[in-house]
Amino acid sequence: MMQLSLAQFEVARADAAANLARIAELAAEASAAGSDLLCLPEMCTTGFDWAYNRAHLDAAADDAAAVSALAKAHGIAICGSMLERTDSGNAANCFHYFDARGELCARYRKLHLFTLFHEERHVEAGEQCVSFETEFGRIGAAICYDLRFPELFRRNTEAGAILQVLPAAFPHPRLDHWRSLVRARAIENQNYFIAINQCGVEGHGSSVGETQYFGHSMVVDPWGEIVVEASEEACLLQVEIDPSLVSKVRSKLSAWEDRRGDLFHL
């Protein structure tokens, strides 16, 4: 069995210190509850103020190191998406997974950039899918807008992933899409899907307005059943899952084995 904590909170825009303080509180609470893994939302250390993020790039590694230290101090694995500086000096939206010793097990840079909000103007896209082994099974990484592109999750599952983790900042009015797509990704790949969303309001200035994130962080099992789902309010969801359910579901319904990979080349 695996104990999860999903941290749904309002990320403080352009305030890494405030966000790291909040993450420290959440790590302590999740550890005290006996969780094996704390899952954080998208851009959890800085939010989406790209002028601030550009100026903050050199400190991004220190933010990641602070999260690593929290994982080690509390003996809990921590994952989430956060700002990263690339070798070319650009910003990246990068998933990090630190194990309970604080060691970095995986990094995944967001493949699909959200052109509706012009993310491609500010972020260097990733170039590869990432899945990685943990003591609970192989995990596939994705971030927010990636949810709309099923090929990524197919590739992760073909690589052996039995859990998919997606930090996100999904806003209104796309709640129905969120709930439908998270379940679909779990059903079609017959694995667990762990989706952690921001909540609250992010202000972008008078010329742009506000974004209302709707929360509804959720865990869906390999049958497509919702194991737990949040409301729109900030919370720390606690849930236990059974990774062995993946093989049990696939033995009862052989859709994964029956796929025609010889015809559909990803």
Side-chain angles (χ1 to χ4, degrees), residues 176-215:
D176 285 345
H177 288 194
W178 166 264
R179 299 185 80 248
S180 298
L181 290 169
V182 169
R183 292 191 69 199
R185 299 292 89 88
I187 292 168
E188 66 200 6
N189 294 298
Q190 296 183 300
N191 52 30
Y192 275 101
F193 205 104
I194 303 162
I196 317 94
N197 199 25
Q198 286 193 33
C199 64
V201 177
E202 182 175 14
H204 304 283
S206 58
S207 63
V208 179
E210 296 180 339
T211 300
Q212 175 75 51
Y213 301 112
F214 53 66

Short mmCIF file of all heavy atoms in Angstrom, two decimals, residues 176-215:
data_model
loop_
_atom_site.label_atom_id
_atom_site.label_comp_id
_atom_site.label_asym_id
_atom_site.label_seq_id
_atom_site.Cartn_x
_atom_site.Cartn_y
_atom_site.Cartn_z
N ASP A 176 -14.90 20.58 -16.29
CA ASP A 176 -15.43 19.35 -16.89
C ASP A 176 -14.35 18.65 -17.71
O ASP A 176 -14.27 17.41 -17.71
CB ASP A 176 -16.64 19.65 -17.77
CG ASP A 176 -17.89 19.95 -16.96
OD1 ASP A 176 -17.90 19.65 -15.75
OD2 ASP A 176 -18.86 20.47 -17.55
N HIS A 177 -13.53 19.41 -18.41
CA HIS A 177 -12.43 18.81 -19.17
C HIS A 177 -11.46 18.10 -18.22
O HIS A 177 -11.02 16.98 -18.48
CB HIS A 177 -11.68 19.89 -19.96
CG HIS A 177 -12.44 20.44 -21.12
ND1 HIS A 177 -11.86 21.18 -22.11
CD2 HIS A 177 -13.75 20.35 -21.45
CE1 HIS A 177 -12.76 21.53 -23.01
NE2 HIS A 177 -13.92 21.05 -22.62
N TRP A 178 -11.11 18.77 -17.15
CA TRP A 178 -10.19 18.23 -16.16
C TRP A 178 -10.67 16.88 -15.65
O TRP A 178 -9.94 15.88 -15.69
CB TRP A 178 -10.04 19.23 -15.03
CG TRP A 178 -9.40 18.77 -13.76
CD1 TRP A 178 -10.03 18.33 -12.63
CD2 TRP A 178 -7.99 18.75 -13.44
NE1 TRP A 178 -9.13 18.05 -11.63
CE2 TRP A 178 -7.86 18.29 -12.11
CE3 TRP A 178 -6.84 19.09 -14.15
CZ2 TRP A 178 -6.63 18.16 -11.48
CZ3 TRP A 178 -5.61 18.95 -13.51
CH2 TRP A 178 -5.51 18.48 -12.20
N ARG A 179 -11.91 16.85 -15.18
CA ARG A 179 -12.43 15.62 -14.57
C ARG A 179 -12.54 14.51 -15.60
O ARG A 179 -12.26 13.34 -15.31
CB ARG A 179 -13.78 15.88 -13.91
CG ARG A 179 -13.71 16.91 -12.79
CD ARG A 179 -15.02 17.08 -12.05
NE ARG A 179 -15.22 16.01 -11.08
CZ ARG A 179 -16.14 15.07 -11.19
NH1 ARG A 179 -16.95 15.04 -12.22
NH2 ARG A 179 -16.25 14.13 -10.26
N SER A 180 -12.95 14.84 -16.82
CA SER A 180 -13.09 13.83 -17.86
C SER A 180 -11.74 13.29 -18.32
O SER A 180 -11.56 12.07 -18.49
CB SER A 180 -13.84 14.41 -19.06
OG SER A 180 -15.15 14.80 -18.71
N LEU A 181 -10.78 14.18 -18.51
CA LEU A 181 -9.48 13.76 -19.04
C LEU A 181 -8.66 12.98 -18.02
O LEU A 181 -7.97 12.02 -18.40
CB LEU A 181 -8.70 14.98 -19.53
CG LEU A 181 -9.26 15.65 -20.79
CD1 LEU A 181 -8.58 16.99 -21.04
CD2 LEU A 181 -9.11 14.74 -22.00
N VAL A 182 -8.72 13.38 -16.76
CA VAL A 182 -7.99 12.62 -15.74
C VAL A 182 -8.50 11.18 -15.69
O VAL A 182 -7.72 10.22 -15.66
CB VAL A 182 -8.10 13.30 -14.36
CG1 VAL A 182 -7.57 12.39 -13.26
CG2 VAL A 182 -7.33 14.62 -14.35
N ARG A 183 -9.82 11.02 -15.70
CA ARG A 183 -10.38 9.66 -15.68
C ARG A 183 -10.03 8.90 -16.96
O ARG A 183 -9.71 7.70 -16.91
CB ARG A 183 -11.90 9.72 -15.50
CG ARG A 183 -12.35 10.22 -14.13
CD ARG A 183 -13.83 10.01 -13.94
NE ARG A 183 -14.14 8.59 -13.82
CZ ARG A 183 -15.36 8.07 -14.01
NH1 ARG A 183 -16.37 8.86 -14.32
NH2 ARG A 183 -15.55 6.78 -13.86
N ALA A 184 -10.09 9.59 -18.10
CA ALA A 184 -9.78 8.92 -19.36
C ALA A 184 -8.35 8.42 -19.40
O ALA A 184 -8.09 7.29 -19.84
CB ALA A 184 -10.03 9.88 -20.53
N ARG A 185 -7.40 9.24 -18.92
CA ARG A 185 -6.00 8.82 -18.93
C ARG A 185 -5.78 7.59 -18.04
O ARG A 185 -4.97 6.72 -18.36
CB ARG A 185 -5.08 9.96 -18.47
CG ARG A 185 -5.09 11.24 -19.31
CD ARG A 185 -4.49 11.06 -20.70
NE ARG A 185 -5.49 10.64 -21.65
CZ ARG A 185 -6.27 11.45 -22.37
NH1 ARG A 185 -6.16 12.75 -22.22
NH2 ARG A 185 -7.12 10.97 -23.23
N ALA A 186 -6.51 7.52 -16.92
CA ALA A 186 -6.40 6.35 -16.05
C ALA A 186 -7.01 5.12 -16.72
O ALA A 186 -6.43 4.03 -16.70
CB ALA A 186 -7.08 6.63 -14.71
N ILE A 187 -8.20 5.28 -17.31
CA ILE A 187 -8.92 4.16 -17.90
C ILE A 187 -8.15 3.58 -19.09
O ILE A 187 -7.97 2.36 -19.21
CB ILE A 187 -10.32 4.58 -18.33
CG1 ILE A 187 -11.19 4.89 -17.10
CG2 ILE A 187 -10.99 3.49 -19.18
CD1 ILE A 187 -12.49 5.60 -17.42
N GLU A 188 -7.71 4.45 -19.99
CA GLU A 188 -7.12 3.94 -21.23
C GLU A 188 -5.76 3.28 -21.01
O GLU A 188 -5.34 2.42 -21.79
CB GLU A 188 -7.00 5.07 -22.26
CG GLU A 188 -6.03 6.16 -21.89
CD GLU A 188 -6.29 7.45 -22.67
OE1 GLU A 188 -7.31 7.50 -23.40
OE2 GLU A 188 -5.50 8.41 -22.53
N ASN A 189 -5.06 3.68 -19.92
CA ASN A 189 -3.76 3.07 -19.62
C ASN A 189 -3.81 2.08 -18.47
O ASN A 189 -2.81 1.46 -18.15
CB ASN A 189 -2.74 4.17 -19.31
CG ASN A 189 -2.45 5.03 -20.52
OD1 ASN A 189 -1.95 4.54 -21.53
ND2 ASN A 189 -2.77 6.31 -20.43
N GLN A 190 -4.96 1.97 -17.84
CA GLN A 190 -5.16 1.04 -16.72
C GLN A 190 -4.09 1.23 -15.65
O GLN A 190 -3.44 0.30 -15.22
CB GLN A 190 -5.20 -0.40 -17.23
CG GLN A 190 -6.38 -0.67 -18.17
CD GLN A 190 -6.47 -2.11 -18.62
OE1 GLN A 190 -5.54 -2.61 -19.25
NE2 GLN A 190 -7.56 -2.78 -18.30
N ASN A 191 -3.94 2.49 -15.24
CA ASN A 191 -3.04 2.78 -14.14
C ASN A 191 -3.62 3.87 -13.25
O ASN A 191 -4.67 4.43 -13.54
CB ASN A 191 -1.62 3.13 -14.63
CG ASN A 191 -1.60 4.23 -15.68
OD1 ASN A 191 -2.46 5.11 -15.71
ND2 ASN A 191 -0.60 4.17 -16.55
N TYR A 192 -2.97 4.13 -12.14
CA TYR A 192 -3.40 5.21 -11.24
C TYR A 192 -3.03 6.56 -11.85
O TYR A 192 -1.96 6.72 -12.45
CB TYR A 192 -2.72 5.08 -9.88
CG TYR A 192 -3.41 4.16 -8.92
CD1 TYR A 192 -2.93 2.86 -8.71
CD2 TYR A 192 -4.53 4.57 -8.20
CE1 TYR A 192 -3.55 2.01 -7.81
CE2 TYR A 192 -5.15 3.72 -7.29
CZ TYR A 192 -4.65 2.44 -7.10
OH TYR A 192 -5.26 1.60 -6.21
N PHE A 193 -3.91 7.53 -11.64
CA PHE A 193 -3.62 8.89 -12.07
C PHE A 193 -3.77 9.82 -10.88
O PHE A 193 -4.83 9.87 -10.25
CB PHE A 193 -4.56 9.33 -13.20
CG PHE A 193 -3.98 10.41 -14.06
CD1 PHE A 193 -3.49 10.14 -15.32
CD2 PHE A 193 -3.90 11.72 -13.59
CE1 PHE A 193 -2.94 11.14 -16.11
CE2 PHE A 193 -3.35 12.72 -14.36
CZ PHE A 193 -2.87 12.45 -15.63
N ILE A 194 -2.69 10.54 -10.57
CA ILE A 194 -2.65 11.46 -9.43
C ILE A 194 -2.52 12.87 -9.98
O ILE A 194 -1.49 13.22 -10.59
CB ILE A 194 -1.45 11.12 -8.51
CG1 ILE A 194 -1.54 9.66 -8.04
CG2 ILE A 194 -1.40 12.06 -7.33
CD1 ILE A 194 -0.23 9.10 -7.52
N ALA A 195 -3.55 13.68 -9.82
CA ALA A 195 -3.59 15.02 -10.41
C ALA A 195 -3.74 16.05 -9.30
O ALA A 195 -4.71 16.01 -8.54
CB ALA A 195 -4.76 15.12 -11.39
N ILE A 196 -2.78 16.96 -9.20
CA ILE A 196 -2.74 17.95 -8.11
C ILE A 196 -2.86 19.34 -8.72
O ILE A 196 -2.00 19.76 -9.48
CB ILE A 196 -1.42 17.85 -7.31
CG1 ILE A 196 -1.04 16.40 -7.04
CG2 ILE A 196 -1.54 18.64 -6.01
CD1 ILE A 196 -0.08 15.82 -8.07
N ASN A 197 -3.93 20.05 -8.36
CA ASN A 197 -4.20 21.34 -8.98
C ASN A 197 -4.03 22.47 -7.98
O ASN A 197 -4.22 22.30 -6.77
CB ASN A 197 -5.62 21.36 -9.54
CG ASN A 197 -5.83 22.46 -10.57
OD1 ASN A 197 -4.90 22.90 -11.22
ND2 ASN A 197 -7.07 22.88 -10.73
N GLN A 198 -3.72 23.66 -8.50
CA GLN A 198 -3.76 24.86 -7.70
C GLN A 198 -5.21 25.24 -7.40
O GLN A 198 -6.14 24.80 -8.09
CB GLN A 198 -3.10 26.04 -8.42
CG GLN A 198 -1.59 26.00 -8.49
CD GLN A 198 -1.00 27.33 -8.92
OE1 GLN A 198 -1.54 28.39 -8.62
NE2 GLN A 198 0.12 27.28 -9.63
N CYS A 199 -5.40 26.08 -6.41
CA CYS A 199 -6.69 26.69 -6.15
C CYS A 199 -6.48 28.18 -5.92
O CYS A 199 -5.34 28.65 -5.89
CB CYS A 199 -7.39 26.04 -4.95
SG CYS A 199 -6.53 26.25 -3.38
N GLY A 200 -7.55 28.92 -5.76
CA GLY A 200 -7.44 30.34 -5.50
C GLY A 200 -7.36 31.17 -6.77
O GLY A 200 -7.57 30.68 -7.88
N VAL A 201 -7.06 32.45 -6.59
CA VAL A 201 -7.05 33.43 -7.67
C VAL A 201 -5.64 33.96 -7.88
O VAL A 201 -4.94 34.28 -6.93
CB VAL A 201 -8.00 34.61 -7.35
CG1 VAL A 201 -7.93 35.67 -8.45
CG2 VAL A 201 -9.43 34.11 -7.19
N GLU A 202 -5.23 34.03 -9.14
CA GLU A 202 -3.95 34.65 -9.47
C GLU A 202 -4.21 35.91 -10.28
O GLU A 202 -4.85 35.87 -11.34
CB GLU A 202 -3.06 33.69 -10.27
CG GLU A 202 -1.70 34.30 -10.58
CD GLU A 202 -0.75 33.32 -11.27
OE1 GLU A 202 -1.21 32.27 -11.75
OE2 GLU A 202 0.46 33.62 -11.32
N GLY A 203 -3.75 37.04 -9.78
CA GLY A 203 -3.92 38.30 -10.48
C GLY A 203 -2.75 38.57 -11.42
O GLY A 203 -1.60 38.39 -11.06
N HIS A 204 -3.08 39.00 -12.64
CA HIS A 204 -2.04 39.24 -13.65
C HIS A 204 -1.90 40.72 -14.00
O HIS A 204 -1.23 41.05 -14.97
CB HIS A 204 -2.38 38.46 -14.93
CG HIS A 204 -2.56 37.00 -14.72
ND1 HIS A 204 -1.50 36.13 -14.55
CD2 HIS A 204 -3.68 36.24 -14.61
CE1 HIS A 204 -1.97 34.90 -14.38
NE2 HIS A 204 -3.28 34.94 -14.41
N GLY A 205 -2.52 41.60 -13.23
CA GLY A 205 -2.46 43.02 -13.54
C GLY A 205 -3.72 43.48 -14.26
O GLY A 205 -4.47 42.68 -14.80
N SER A 206 -3.91 44.78 -14.29
CA SER A 206 -5.15 45.33 -14.83
C SER A 206 -5.36 45.04 -16.31
O SER A 206 -6.49 44.95 -16.79
CB SER A 206 -5.17 46.85 -14.61
OG SER A 206 -4.04 47.46 -15.23
N SER A 207 -4.26 44.86 -17.06
CA SER A 207 -4.41 44.63 -18.50
C SER A 207 -4.80 43.20 -18.85
O SER A 207 -5.29 42.94 -19.95
CB SER A 207 -3.10 44.98 -19.22
OG SER A 207 -2.04 44.14 -18.78
N VAL A 208 -4.58 42.28 -17.92
CA VAL A 208 -4.86 40.87 -18.19
C VAL A 208 -6.01 40.35 -17.34
O VAL A 208 -6.85 39.58 -17.80
CB VAL A 208 -3.59 40.00 -17.95
CG1 VAL A 208 -3.88 38.54 -18.20
CG2 VAL A 208 -2.46 40.50 -18.84
N GLY A 209 -6.05 40.75 -16.08
CA GLY A 209 -7.11 40.30 -15.21
C GLY A 209 -6.67 39.18 -14.29
O GLY A 209 -5.50 39.09 -13.92
N GLU A 210 -7.60 38.30 -13.94
CA GLU A 210 -7.36 37.24 -12.96
C GLU A 210 -7.62 35.86 -13.54
O GLU A 210 -8.40 35.71 -14.48
CB GLU A 210 -8.27 37.44 -11.75
CG GLU A 210 -8.00 38.71 -10.97
CD GLU A 210 -8.92 38.86 -9.79
OE1 GLU A 210 -10.02 38.23 -9.77
OE2 GLU A 210 -8.56 39.61 -8.85
N THR A 211 -6.96 34.89 -12.96
CA THR A 211 -7.21 33.48 -13.27
C THR A 211 -7.72 32.80 -12.01
O THR A 211 -7.09 32.91 -10.95
CB THR A 211 -5.92 32.78 -13.75
OG1 THR A 211 -5.45 33.42 -14.93
CG2 THR A 211 -6.19 31.31 -14.05
N GLN A 212 -8.84 32.10 -12.14
CA GLN A 212 -9.44 31.39 -11.01
C GLN A 212 -9.16 29.90 -11.17
O GLN A 212 -9.70 29.25 -12.07
CB GLN A 212 -10.94 31.63 -10.95
CG GLN A 212 -11.67 30.83 -9.87
CD GLN A 212 -11.44 31.37 -8.48
OE1 GLN A 212 -11.61 32.56 -8.23
NE2 GLN A 212 -11.07 30.49 -7.56
N TYR A 213 -8.28 29.36 -10.34
CA TYR A 213 -7.99 27.94 -10.37
C TYR A 213 -9.05 27.20 -9.55
O TYR A 213 -9.44 27.66 -8.47
CB TYR A 213 -6.59 27.66 -9.82
CG TYR A 213 -5.51 28.37 -10.60
CD1 TYR A 213 -4.77 29.40 -10.03
CD2 TYR A 213 -5.25 28.03 -11.92
CE1 TYR A 213 -3.79 30.06 -10.75
CE2 TYR A 213 -4.26 28.68 -12.65
CZ TYR A 213 -3.53 29.70 -12.06
OH TYR A 213 -2.58 30.36 -12.79
N PHE A 214 -9.48 26.05 -10.07
CA PHE A 214 -10.65 25.40 -9.46
C PHE A 214 -10.34 24.23 -8.54
O PHE A 214 -11.25 23.57 -8.03
CB PHE A 214 -11.64 24.94 -10.53
CG PHE A 214 -11.06 24.08 -11.62
CD1 PHE A 214 -10.56 22.82 -11.36
CD2 PHE A 214 -11.03 24.53 -12.93
CE1 PHE A 214 -10.04 22.01 -12.37
CE2 PHE A 214 -10.51 23.73 -13.95
CZ PHE A 214 -10.02 22.48 -13.67
N GLY A 215 -9.08 23.96 -8.28
CA GLY A 215 -8.79 22.86 -7.37
C GLY A 215 -9.20 21.51 -7.96
O GLY A 215 -8.78 21.11 -9.03
#
